[in-house]
Amino acid sequence: MACRSLAMVLSKAAARQQETKSKKSVRVTTGLGKETALDLARRGARVIMACRNLAKAQPVADYIRRKTGNANVQVRHLDLSSLGSVRKFARGILDSEAAIHILVNNAAIGGMTKKKLTDDNYEVTIQTNYLGHFLLTNLLLGKLKSSAPSRVVTISSEAHTLCKAFDPDDLNYEKQPYPGSFMSYGISKLANILFALELSGKLSNSGVTSNSVHPGLVNTGLIDQYPLHWWLSSILKLAVWAVALDTERGAQTQIYAAVSEEVEDVTGKYFVNCQVSEPTKLAQDPDLARRLWDISERLVNLTPEEKHY
């Protein structure tokens, strides 16, 4: 979405499930985050939209409040490319919220043509799409557990199928050459599936589920983030326009994973089209998932007090 809704924290999720069928709505902005927040606000949830650009996010929150009649929709600042920002956001949530029932990890930026580092000295795609969510989820995990039943939904992509090998020890591409935009994006999305898988095991019998989701090919404007030649960008945009879902339909699988009573006890799975699906064998490797988790803990400097599993 235009405000780059990177994650959503929802407390007091509505008890009754509604059908996740597409309904027409006015397009104030675009993106899966906006559509998910809108749907959950309709259900009566308290919704906190975590966005990097507050100026763009606030009109979206205003629209959701008007559209749903739910005044309990907030916007707070979060930049997942900054570990400091993640920690500040999490402290605010822990201080202000009595409970967290749903965490939707919704970040998605395209990979870079050339390697670019954040201020934390990590490659920007892996930090924004994966490491930031890894840290955020761990910081909120204690509250999620005390609020159980709770759910963590992490957005991935079929782009993970691009990856034929994965080295968790080289998330910063210091051993291997930077693979370019599409592959770096795919690697970050593979990491999300492995993260959701390992988290589900660590939360066994806690009342908190962890699943990952492929929303489908969705016209979110993500292609605009790729620094492509104009002719390639035009071809891709035309292809997306021809076959892609709109954002409202594209958000249905993550909404389903977040609220459906049918999957309230399902964990460690990968959803496509509102059904459990099989990711690649690489994405199902428990040893790889465990290695990635351990390395990620070190990269984000997770302290013993911040471990809630």
Side-chain angles (χ1 to χ4, degrees), residues 173-235:
Y173 305 104
E174 294 171 344
K175 300 178 184 176
Q176 60 182 318
Y178 182 68
S181 56
F182 292 110
M183 185 60 75
S184 63
Y185 177 77
I187 289 170
S188 72
K189 291 305 181 177
L190 172 61
N192 281 346
I193 300 176
L194 291 167
F195 159 61
L197 175 63
E198 179 65 12
L199 179 63
S200 70
K202 291 185 181 300
L203 295 177
S204 179
N205 300 318
S206 70
V208 184
T209 62
S210 168
N211 294 293
S212 57
V213 166
H214 167 55
L217 180 58
V218 183
N219 190 4
T220 62
L222 184 62
I223 289 175
D224 293 334
Q225 297 182 29
Y226 286 99
L228 304 172
H229 291 295
W230 67 268
W231 57 270
L232 180 55
S233 178
S234 299
I235 291 172

Side-chain angles (χ1 to χ4, degrees), residues 97-158:
E97 304 306 309
I100 304 171
H101 294 294
I102 302 172
L103 172 63
V104 181
N105 290 321
N106 187 61
I109 66 167
M112 304 292 107
T113 300
K114 296 182 179 180
K115 181 178 173 180
K116 179 180 178 182
L117 299 180
T118 66
D119 289 343
D120 297 305
N121 288 319
Y122 296 129
E123 193 273 321
V124 65
T125 310
I126 199 71
Q127 180 164 344
T128 303
N129 292 4
Y130 166 64
L131 284 174
H133 281 141
F134 175 88
L135 177 59
L136 176 64
T137 303
N138 273 282
L139 294 176
L140 299 182
L141 205 51
K143 186 78 72 174
L144 282 159
K145 290 177 71 174
S146 67
S147 307
S150 305
R151 305 186 193 187
V152 179
V153 180
T154 301
I155 312 309
S156 184
S157 169
E158 283 291 273

Side-chain angles (χ1 to χ4, degrees), residues 281-300:
K281 289 184 179 180
L282 203 60
Q284 299 179 65
D285 186 333
D287 294 329
L288 190 61
R290 193 174 304 111
R291 280 181 57 209
L292 175 64
W293 182 285
D294 292 342
I295 290 165
S296 300
E297 280 192 354
R298 296 198 298 270
L299 292 178
V300 302

Side-chain angles (χ1 to χ4, degrees), residues 76 158 176 234 236 248 266:
R76 299 192 191 182
E158 283 291 273
Q176 60 182 318
S234 299
L236 287 174
E248 188 172 2
V266 176

Side-chain angles (χ1 to χ4, degrees), residues 79 81-91 120 127 135:
D79 181 355
S81 68
S82 165
L83 298 180
S85 177
V86 173
R87 290 184 179 279
K88 181 178 180 180
F89 172 82
R91 283 196 299 270
D120 297 305
Q127 180 164 344
L135 177 59

